[in-house]
Amino acid sequence: FPVTIGQERLINAKVLCIGAGGLGSPTILYLAAAGVGTIGILDFDHVDPTNLQRQVIHTQNDVGKSKTRSAAEKARALNPSITLNLHEVKLDERNALEILSGYDVIVDCTDNFATRYLINDACALLDKPYVWGSIYRFDGQVSTFWSKHGPCYRCLHPSPPPVGAVPSCAEGGVLGSLCGVIGSIQSTEVIKLITGIGEPLIGQLLLHDSLDNSFKNLKIEKRSSCEICNGSQRALLDSYESFCNGNLGNLGIEAAQLQEMMAHNPELFLVDVREPEEFQVGYIDGAILLPVAKFVDGSALKLLPRDKEIVLYCHSGVRSANCLSIIKNAGFSNSTHLLGGILAWNKVLQQHN
């Protein structure tokens, strides 16, 4: 198509980027630079200094600021003529359909399975295409899902992995520059969908290994048994957190519950299962440090009291769920873990300040 037609389509397009972190950083910047007329930015988190090595849309001056506002400021500085919609909320079963319905293309820049399955199902019900990206350590993946024209995310991953089997970027680490590679490919996919040029990655999974700088394309088949693609699932699930967390999701407590427990139970045994360097950056008052490795080799079991209530926590709840499973199996029945980890704890503290 002539350039002017492509530009006109970009100007009239509405794109929602879910997540303003590692993948969202390059995606938002390149969509703004390309001239996408309306960009929605959805994120409920705040800028943390430990994330800046991969979330390059934010700077040290933005620490403590909401990611949506920080990202919007950079996008607006790059292209003042675009419209920016800020959604400072957590995407869930109650708001997903309403929010996503206002956009032409969705970009999944999240790092947790519950939100990924939610986005997939919502886009399928709304007949929206969405570009998905995933990163872990040195590897990245990209695909474009549009259930009426190809397979969906459930065709690739029919069910979520066991709790703790796949750590998030915050838990397992990621090469910062890999975010730039995968995020750039995601923004390219969006531009292709809007302008109609090229072939989007519908029915294809692009794999990237940054260690040998290789790219591979795998074909994804549409599954006849997929509830989304065959139309048997006609509504969102009641709880995607429960769907992805299984029974372990019921064994955790919210941050507000932990506050109440700490206020009424001075004997509460609070355990931080992160690494020493994470503990030094910040911890919940009264917690002792017992890294995950001590649970894996069993040495932590000798240090835990059997006559006190035990609460485990980590960064986002993944490692603590794993450790909880270990001690439950060892007979520590009076134990639980903090859902959302210290991230959730800090959010509650910010709300009260």
Side-chain angles (χ1 to χ4, degrees):
F1 292 104
V3 174
T4 52
I5 295 178
Q7 288 176 329
E8 184 176 354
R9 290 181 175 180
L10 288 168
I11 292 170
N12 292 324
K14 297 180 179 180
V15 178
L16 174 64
C17 184
I18 304 176
L23 292 177
S25 291
T27 300
I28 293 167
L29 288 174
Y30 277 115
L31 293 179
V36 172
T38 300
I39 300 175
I41 305 174
L42 189 152
D43 202 308
F44 66 98
D45 204 357
H46 291 75
V47 180
D48 188 293
T50 61
N51 299 332
L52 296 181
Q53 52 90 18
R54 67 182 184 276
Q55 300 180 5
V56 295
I57 200 169
H58 312 296
T59 70
Q60 286 286 349
N61 293 332
D62 299 315
V63 171
K65 186 183 299 182
S66 75
K67 287 184 179 179
T68 52
R69 294 186 181 278
S70 172
E73 288 172 3
K74 312 307 186 305
R76 187 172 288 111
L78 189 62
N79 188 344
S81 64
I82 61 176
T83 298
L84 291 163
N85 298 333
L86 307 190
H87 304 277
E88 296 182 69
V89 297
K90 181 179 181 179
L91 193 72
D92 59 27
E93 303 81 9
R94 296 165 297 179
N95 60 27
L97 294 176
E98 180 181 357
I99 294 174
L100 271 60
S101 65
Y103 295 91
D104 305 311
V105 182
I106 314 300
V107 195
D108 181 355
C109 294
T110 63
D111 69 347
N112 70 87
F113 287 98
T115 309
R116 289 171 182 169
Y117 281 97
L118 171 60
I119 293 170
N120 178 78
D121 294 2
C123 284
L125 293 172
L126 294 169
D127 189 21
K128 304 279 185 182
Y130 80 98
V131 181
W132 165 78
S134 174
I135 50 177
Y136 177 62
R137 301 194 69 190
F138 307 107
D139 302 315
Q141 304 177 15
V142 184
S143 188
T144 294
F145 297 111
W146 199 349
S147 61
K148 285 194 176 180
H149 300 276
C152 74
Y153 182 74
R154 286 180 181 267
C155 294
L156 178 63
H157 297 295
S159 58
V163 174
V166 183
S168 66
C169 291
E171 301 283 350
V174 65
L175 181 66
S177 56
L178 176 64
C179 301
V181 176
I182 301 303
S184 297
I185 295 173
Q186 286 184 275
S187 56
T188 300
E189 282 294 292
V190 173
I191 293 170
K192 287 158 58 180
L193 287 169
I194 293 171
T195 60
I197 61 172
E199 293 293 330
L201 289 170
I202 296 175
Q204 298 180 71
L205 177 64
L206 179 66
L207 304 175
H208 173 54
D209 183 342
S210 62
L211 293 183
D212 61 12
N213 209 27
S214 63
F215 288 88
K216 296 179 183 177
N217 272 64
L218 302 180
K219 188 175 181 180
I220 308 172
E221 298 288 351
K222 201 175 182 74
R223 289 191 310 111
S224 59
S225 59
C226 174
E227 297 87 350
I228 283 294
C229 290
N230 66 25
S232 60
Q233 181 180 321
R234 300 183 180 181
L236 297 179
L237 301 179
D238 292 335
S239 173
Y240 284 83
E241 293 288 347
S242 298
F243 171 67
C244 291
N245 292 336
N247 292 331
L248 262 183
N250 299 325
L251 299 177
I253 59 171
E254 302 288 347
Q257 291 176 279
L258 177 57
Q259 279 188 319
E260 186 174 345
M261 291 171 66
M262 292 172 67
H264 294 91
N265 184 2
E267 296 297 312
L268 184 71
F269 201 77
L270 187 60
V271 182
D272 189 320
V273 304
R274 298 175 300 161
E275 297 303 309
E277 56 269 23
E278 296 177 277
F279 189 79
Q280 291 175 2
V281 173
Y283 55 88
I284 300 176
D285 288 343
I288 69 163
L289 177 65
L290 287 177
V292 171
K294 292 185 178 294
F295 289 83
V296 175
D297 65 19
S299 61
L301 301 179
K302 302 175 183 178
L303 304 173
L304 297 175
R306 291 188 177 272
D307 59 345
K308 295 181 180 179
E309 195 169 5
I310 300 171
V311 178
L312 312 178
Y313 76 88
C314 63
H315 184 72
S316 63
V318 175
R319 284 173 287 181
S320 59
N322 258 353
C323 294
L324 178 62
S325 178
I326 292 172
I327 67 173
K328 285 283 187 183
N329 290 333
F332 290 87
S333 57
N334 196 19
S335 58
T336 186
H337 83 117
L338 177 61
L339 297 171
I342 199 167
L343 290 177
W345 176 263
N346 288 336
K347 284 185 178 66
V348 169
L349 293 184
Q350 289 171 356
Q351 290 171 0
H352 290 173
N353 292 337

